[in-house]
Amino acid sequence: MTTTTPGAADVELAIGGMTCASCAARIEKKLNRMDGVEATVNYATEKAKVTFREDVSVADLIATVEATGYTAEEPAPVRTESQDGAPEPADALRPLRQRLFTAVALALPVIAMSMVPALQFDYWQWLSLTLTAPVVTYAAWPFHRAAWTNARHGAATMDTLISVGTSAAFLWSLWALFFGTAGTPGMTHPFELTIGRSDGSGDIYLEAAAGVTAFILAGRYFEARSKRKAGAALKALLELGAKDVTVLRADGTEQTLPTTELKVGDRFLVRPGEKIATDGTVVEGSSAVDASMLTGESVPVEVAPGDTVTGATLNAGGRLVVEASRVGADTQLARMARLVEDAQNGKAAAQRLADRISAVFVPVVIGLALATLGFWLGNGSGLTAAFTAAVAVLIIACPCALGLATPTALMVGTGRGAQLGILIKGPEVLETTRKVDTIVLDKTGTVTTGRMTLLAVHVADTTTEAEVLRLAGALEHSSEHPIARAVADGATARTGTLPTPEDFATLAGLGVQGVVEGHAVLVGREQLLKEWAMELTPALKAAKETAEAAGRTAIAVAWDGEARAVIEVADAIKETSPEAIRRLRALGLTPILLTGDNRAVAEAVAAEVGIEEVYAEVMPQDKVDVVKSLQAKGRSVAMVGDGVNDAAALAQADLGLAMGTGTDAAIEAGDLTLVRGDLRAAADAIRLSRKTLGTIKSNLFWAFAYNVAALPLAAAGLLNPMIAGASMAFSSVFVVGNSLRLRSFKAS
């Protein structure tokens, strides 16, 4: 349970006993009636996400769910370590499978005897009764139990329709057998319903009672199996982590511990072929790390001391010693799992409409069945015709498909995204991906590698290159900016150990300032020097202009009131960026480059990757204004970024895509997180989101169309109850099967 706002908390409850979408709607309605409670109940994931005030307890929430006729409990904590060696959980589908096999084995001969006159020997109806009785009692017991539970709480669900329909067919047949002519030798049974038949006492509907039960149980079973497959990606994600870890103690000894006991700051050993236990920094050794299970990127990444590594990735090369930086629920793997699970528990606007329909659907269907019965009786068509039409109406209605339309597609789509290194935050994101027509790309770390390299140092006559690198490198070593790291790394490589600054401050968008070895040092843009009334010498100014014309970044260095040098650094363009831009254009998006670098650098990068529109020399706080200005022109804007200075723009954009290689602030602000630092993943993310949205809409269309078409046919007496039951079961299986097609989505 995590606090979200003062005086409020969130909890996720595992709900048991739901059998259709109307069950979820009832629980959600009851929870939302509690003061200070906001709840969303997801039928497919069987979970309730609840936000509640501090004067409400989790026990109160559970009690409300139980009072509605269902069970609720807090799920077990998320585990991200491997479950190798853990006992296999009990097969939750076994009871359902046993009832299904019983129903099918007994219903098939009943249906065959009812449909094939050649099989109708003397008193065959009594054998049908004997075979049907276990089907409508034992096999259909979950329907009757749920219907009774709901009835005690003054509610009706899909189980009510099934229970009433099958019971009515069975009891009607009993009456016909004992008090009518149905048990007479040679009595045949018409498979097709004939409106206007008056000898109602002679007809039995045992095949309808048995067949409907078998078909619906089959639908429930395949639906449950499909839902399990839909959630398999998340389960696999949760189980990626290592089970054990070898920790290096201060005295040099090695100790093997469960990963759950690992602490921040612990140093642990990763041998070739082992999984990295948790997020950390390499302190010893070099290797190639296979991160494909998290990022979808098949090419291993070379790591060396100082590089960060992610838990659950595989050490494919040499021996590594890693210092743990994040453990447990704070690791990237755990955060990914939470993002995926939160997305799966969300609801799109269309699904909320479907839920509202499902909530009133069952009472409406019962009313329609009674009206159908009354109409045919009043029309003089006979009790058999009226009864059969009413039973068909009860059985054909299926809000289950409506309830499964969005969550199953979300489960599969977000799960497949997680396998490809794409994290979708929620269903509302999907709708936005369809609308965006412009994509704004931050340059550094998004289009380019973000790894600047020190290329050249131009010095004034009053100093030397070594002195410039020592003082500027010392100051830049305290900064996290990619350009600063390039200067610091280059200075270290050329001069050795750098001094420690006595004072340091970052000036947003301008550079850094501080005191090093008694000198007041400035490192940054030329504008920073001007603010301190300093000017570059003509030679340094020429060097700066030449560097910028070549698309490089020029950094001014000054100390003690005098400009001393210009340092050149360059940021390489990612090899995949030009292809990514082509793919984004193919999706109908107009790419725009946004950067704080000077225009010459920005335009050189843009020209190389194929971007025509450029916003350069934009201060961090002005990135939001650029997004707003584009939105004011009527554009729907997506933004891709990875830094702290991108977070506000990501939040302002209609769709924010955060590179997972970036900062926590950017990832938190984004709607989609791209775990791998490949811009092509942005195109894949938008394509997957649009495909998931399309699947949701097709699911909802067929679920609605099925009911709109089937109910009038049933009310008109044109559907046999058994066929109605098979159709109803098929509609749910179709929706889930359609969603499972998303598992085959491939990154382009």
Side-chain angles (χ1 to χ4, degrees), residues 373-418:
L373 180 68
F375 172 80
W376 289 116
L377 286 175
N379 197 40
S381 299
L383 186 58
T384 297
F387 168 78
T388 308
V391 170
V393 168
L394 285 174
I395 293 172
I396 198 69
C398 181
C400 297
L402 292 177
L404 290 167
T406 293
T408 51
L410 265 179
M411 287 172 71
V412 182
T414 55
R416 181 59 182 149

Side-chain angles (χ1 to χ4, degrees), residues 189-202:
H189 176 66
F191 179 67
E192 296 293 339
L193 170 64
T194 304
I195 301 298
R197 185 177 176 87
S198 59
D199 58 340
S201 62

Side-chain angles (χ1 to χ4, degrees), residues 88 90 125 209 217 224 233 255 273 352-353 402 415 484 487 494 512 525 527 577 586 603 633 637 685 724:
E88 285 292 321
Q125 300 93 333
L217 280 173
Q255 184 179 5
R352 294 188 183 279
L353 173 62
L402 292 177
V487 174
R494 297 189 189 189
V512 294
R525 298 172 69 171
Q527 183 183 341
S577 290
E603 289 184 346
K633 295 175 184 176
V637 181

Side-chain angles (χ1 to χ4, degrees), residues 43-44 46 223-231 404 408 411 736:
Y43 168 51
E46 298 181 336
E223 175 189 311
R225 278 188 57 184
S226 299
K227 283 163 61 178
R228 176 181 286 187
K229 287 182 182 178
L404 290 167
T408 51
M411 287 172 71
V736 178

Side-chain angles (χ1 to χ4, degrees), residues 256-301:
T256 301
L257 299 172
T259 54
T260 51
E261 296 183 19
L262 199 59
K263 297 180 177 61
V264 173
D266 282 348
R267 293 192 173 190
F268 58 92
L269 178 65
V270 189
R271 298 180 179 87
E274 290 183 345
K275 288 181 178 179
I276 296 173
T278 193
D279 299 356
T281 303
V282 177
V283 294
E284 183 182 319
S286 60
S287 180
V289 173
D290 180 359
S292 59
M293 64 285 293
L294 288 182
T295 66
E297 178 58 61
S298 58
V299 180
V301 178

